[in-house]
């Protein structure tokens, strides 16, 4: 693996503010490719099978309202990302922007939040992909014994590690390879999802299942949720379901028109997602089977962590149900591969700016990718999943709940960074006041509120899977523990790299950026 390390002063901007190019392959993807990668990273089919049941368990038939509520802060934060990207199209995104707005310490922790959130979701993606790999194999072979192999912990973990290794290899080969794979995988999952919606609506119309429900506009009323605790828990899950669109921005240095294209692609991806979640799947699934806790009800605790595994056959029939299994596998596998993009490029940027060891700033000479960072992310994901699987049977549920905390943490910081970064521009025009100030601040405040409420709720062992460590909820232990781990690593890096933490490498202020391909 031939790699080159960027010199400390390489590709520095003309303004001398410290913003640097990384040696990535420029002009590798356009608007469509970027939007597809954004949708792929979110993995709509994977997200739905993992969280439809959990969300229904929290808010019942008001799940569509929670999906709408989760979309609002994501949209507001997306405006912040778009504006920041126009000024500083740097693959470090949240890390780079918060350093320039609030200084190196806040920026480092923001970057850590993104990195650790990505490692968590990579492990969950690999776990879901593994489960559906064996489910699909069992359906194709007609063998229950083959499907049951997923229940063998050793087989499950080894298969999971194999999928992580394959995804790492594809990501290692660069954005061109990534884009080609994604068109097929994203297309498959969206087509099958549309087919599921049509058949679910048909089943609802015929009243095929006992729990079916007639559509009501009250489903879209977030104020009808039984309690604020239930609403905040559902909202945290909803935010997780939209997370990943910012991959479009992380690939900005490899995108044609790096200042504008990534922001536009992110907004396109979010429109596709809210349409898929709200107007189709959530409503259709509730109409077909309801949100009860028995039988095929979405909130049935026996099936809520993997809804499509329970609904595939009853809703779509055996033959088409296999397609749904394939779509979930494709969704998880596609997202597993593209989710390496933000973590590897954030680590690359942090290393380039001396916030992490210099070895992670190496870029492969042929593929123009952050090879060492990509491989390290793959290894960290494999270790994290293996360890958590051995420690807890409920790792999937608990890490998803903890993931919502991480997402709120770094998204909110980025949103506030936008308003502060552009604070001198806010009186120039109404547009600047809205898109650089008001919308980002509102988005940041909403996410901060969810962060605080989630932090309070997750102390209770009943939050998430119900497991606990020394009487404290395991979700709290996972979420807060990982943030504290980042703080410890930052203190170690401050001793090793004092120049960055003194603000001598990446300086604050709006740059006169010169973009290099």
């Amino acid at each position: 693996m031939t790699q080159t390390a960027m010199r400390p002063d390489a590709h520095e901007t003309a303004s001398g503010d410290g913003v640097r190019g990384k040696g990535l392959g420029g002009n590798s993807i356009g608007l469509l490719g970027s939007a597809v990668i954004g949708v792929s990273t979110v993995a709509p089919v994977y997200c739905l099978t993992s969280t439809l049941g959990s969300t229904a368990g929290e808010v019942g038939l008001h799940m569509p309202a929670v999906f709408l509520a989760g979309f609002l802060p994501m949209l507001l934060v997306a405006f912040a990302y778009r504006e920041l990207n126009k000024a500083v199209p740097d693959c470090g995104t949240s890390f780079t922007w918060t350093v320039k707005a609030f200084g190196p310490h806040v920026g480092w922790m923001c970057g850590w939040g993104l990195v650790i959130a990505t490692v968590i979701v990579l492990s969950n993606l690999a776990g879901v992909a593994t489960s559906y790999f064996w489910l699909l194999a069992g359906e194709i072979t007609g063998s229950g014994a083959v499907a049951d192999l997923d229940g063998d912990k050793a087989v499950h973990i080894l298969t999971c590690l194999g999928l992580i290794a394959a995804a790492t290899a594809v990501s290692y080969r660069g954005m061109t390879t990534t884009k080609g794979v994604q068109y097929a995988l994203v297309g498959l999952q969206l087509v099958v999802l549309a087919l599921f919606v049509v058949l679910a609506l048909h089943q609802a119309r015929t009243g095929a299942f006992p729990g079916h429900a007639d559509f009501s506009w009250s489903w879209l009323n977030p104020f009808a949720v039984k309690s604020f605790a239930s609403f905040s828990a559902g909202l945290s899950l909803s935010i997780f379901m939209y997370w990943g669109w910012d991959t479009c921005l992380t690939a900005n240095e490899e995108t044609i028109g790096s200042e504008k294209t990534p922001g536009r692609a992110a907004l396109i991806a979010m429109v596709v997602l809210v349409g898929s979640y709200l107007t189709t799947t959530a409503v259709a699934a509730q109409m077909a089977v309801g949100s009860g806790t028995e039988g095929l009800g979405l909130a049935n605790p026996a099936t809520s962590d993997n809804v499509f595994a329970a609904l595939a056959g009853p809703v779509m029939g055996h033959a088409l149900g296999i397609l749904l299994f394939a779509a979930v596998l494709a969704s998880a596998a596609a997202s597993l591969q593209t989710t390496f993009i933000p973590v590897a490029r954030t680590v690359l940027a942090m290393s380039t700016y001396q916030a992490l060891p210099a070895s992670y700033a190496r870029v492969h000479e042929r593929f123009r990718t952050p090879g060492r960072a990509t491989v390290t992310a793959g290894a960290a994901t494999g270790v994290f999943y293996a360890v958590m699987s051995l420690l807890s049977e409920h790792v999937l549920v608990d890490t998803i709940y903890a993931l919502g905390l991480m997402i709120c943490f770094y998204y909110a910081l980025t949103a506030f960074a936008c308003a502060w970064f552009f604070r001198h521009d806010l009186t120039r025009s109404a547009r600047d006041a809205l898109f650089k100030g008001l919308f980002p601040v509102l988005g940041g405040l909403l996410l901060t509120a969810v962060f605080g409420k989630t932090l309070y709720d997750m102390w209770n062992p009943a939050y998430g899977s119900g497991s606990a460590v020394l009487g404290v909820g395991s979700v709290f232990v996972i979420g807060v523990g990982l943030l504290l781990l980042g703080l410890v690593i930052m203190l170690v890096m401050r001793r090793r790299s004092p120049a960055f933490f003194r603000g001598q490498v990446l300086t604050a202020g709006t740059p006169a950026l010169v973009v290099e391909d």
Side-chain angles (χ1 to χ4, degrees):
M1 297 185 294
T2 305
Q3 307 207 27
T4 57
M6 301 305 299
R7 290 180 289 106
D9 60 344
H11 302 281
E12 199 162 316
T13 59
S15 64
D17 62 3
V19 178
R20 302 166 181 171
K22 318 298 182 303
L24 297 168
N27 297 324
S28 297
I29 51 175
L31 179 62
L32 177 60
S34 184
V36 166
I37 287 173
V39 172
S40 173
T41 306
V42 175
V45 181
Y46 152 73
C47 285
L48 287 166
T49 195
S50 297
T51 57
L52 268 177
S54 299
T55 308
E58 295 290 349
V59 300
L61 291 172
H62 301 291
M63 178 171 55
V66 172
F67 285 174
L68 261 182
F71 174 72
L72 178 59
M74 291 292 100
L75 179 63
L76 296 174
V77 172
F79 290 134
Y81 271 74
R82 184 185 65 179
E83 298 303 318
L84 286 164
N85 183 73
K86 287 180 182 178
V88 189
D90 188 277
C91 72
T93 59
S94 292
F95 160 75
T96 303
W97 299 332
T98 48
V99 169
K100 294 190 69 59
F102 299 134
H105 293 86
V106 175
W108 199 99
M109 285 303 298
C110 186
W112 171 257
L114 187 155
V115 168
I116 199 62
T118 307
V119 170
I120 289 174
V121 82
L122 280 169
S123 68
N124 281 282
L125 286 165
V128 170
T130 298
S131 295
Y132 273 88
F133 173 83
W134 289 113
L135 280 172
L136 182 60
E139 290 291 327
I140 292 175
T141 61
S143 171
V146 172
D148 290 341
L149 285 174
D150 185 56
D152 186 309
K153 185 164 288 189
V155 172
H156 179 91
I157 291 176
L158 288 173
T159 305
C160 187
L161 294 178
L163 291 173
I164 291 170
T168 304
V170 174
S171 297
Y172 187 88
R173 294 181 62 85
M175 294 299 295
T176 302
T177 303
T178 297
K179 178 180 65 176
V181 172
Q182 293 308 314
Y183 282 132
L185 295 179
V186 171
L188 171 64
Q189 59 181 298
L190 291 181
V191 168
V192 175
L193 190 61
L195 183 60
F196 171 82
V197 168
V198 170
L199 292 175
L201 290 174
H202 171 71
Q203 301 283 16
R205 186 168 58 251
T206 60
F209 306 114
H212 72 277
D214 294 329
F215 174 77
S216 170
W217 287 107
S218 67
W219 293 0
L220 301 178
N221 179 13
F223 300 103
V225 178
K226 59 184 179 182
S227 71
F228 185 69
S230 296
F231 177 77
S232 64
L235 188 61
S236 179
L237 289 166
S238 175
I239 288 170
F240 159 71
M241 293 182 68
Y242 290 106
W243 177 68
W245 53 266
D246 52 315
T247 298
C248 302
L249 286 301
T250 311
N252 50 20
E253 294 187 39
E254 298 152 278
T255 304
I256 300 169
S258 59
E259 299 96 334
K260 295 182 179 180
T261 300
R264 292 171 178 170
L267 292 175
I268 290 172
M270 292 197 64
V271 169
V272 171
L273 291 168
V274 73
S276 300
Y277 292 161
L278 176 67
T279 63
T280 55
T281 310
V283 171
Q286 285 195 164
M287 291 178 66
V289 301
S291 61
T293 58
E294 297 180 355
L296 292 177
L298 295 177
N300 186 336
T303 59
S304 62
D305 61 344
N306 199 346
V307 168
F308 286 154
L311 297 184
V315 172
M316 302 182 70
H318 177 72
L320 293 178
I322 292 177
L323 277 180
L324 185 55
F325 287 153
V328 177
L329 176 58
S331 180
S335 185
L336 179 62
Q337 187 243 309
T338 54
T339 304
F340 278 103
I341 294 172
V343 65
R345 281 146 185 81
T346 300
V347 169
L348 171 68
M350 294 179 76
S351 181
T352 299
Y353 297 124
Q354 303 175 31
L356 286 176
S359 59
Y360 293 108
R362 294 175 181 173
V363 173
H364 195 282
E365 287 185 347
R366 176 184 172 189
F367 301 128
R368 314 309 300 173
T369 59
R372 183 180 291 263
T374 301
V375 172
T376 301
T381 299
V383 170
F384 181 85
Y385 188 81
V387 170
M388 294 302 292
S389 295
L390 294 172
L391 287 177
S392 171
E393 292 293 332
H394 305 288
V395 61
L396 185 63
V397 172
D398 285 342
T399 53
I400 286 177
Y401 275 91
L403 178 62
L405 191 73
M406 306 295 174
I407 294 169
C408 291
F409 175 75
Y410 86 84
Y411 272 170
L413 281 176
T414 307
F416 292 137
C418 177
W420 187 252
F421 186 75
F422 292 114
R423 61 191 182 278
H424 300 303
D425 296 347
L426 301 183
T427 57
R428 291 173 49 187
S429 68
R431 184 198 177 280
D432 285 344
L434 288 175
F435 290 101
K436 295 180 180 180
L438 180 60
F439 290 164
V441 168
L442 285 177
L445 289 173
L446 288 171
L447 291 175
T448 301
V450 175
F451 178 90
K453 187 62 170 65
T454 302
L455 193 65
Y456 175 81
D457 290 339
M458 65 172 50
W459 178 270
N460 190 330
Y463 192 89
S465 69
S467 57
V469 178
L470 300 177
V472 178
S474 61
V475 181
F476 184 94
V477 174
I478 293 171
V480 175
L482 289 173
L483 286 176
L484 291 176
L485 175 63
L487 181 62
V488 171
I489 296 174
M490 183 186 73
L491 294 176
V492 172
M493 286 305 305
R494 188 170 66 175
R495 293 180 63 87
R496 295 186 57 182
S497 182
F500 168 77
F501 288 97
R502 290 174 186 154
Q504 297 170 345
V505 178
L506 187 61
T507 59
T510 305
L513 186 65
V514 176
V515 179
E516 296 190 33
D517 292 333

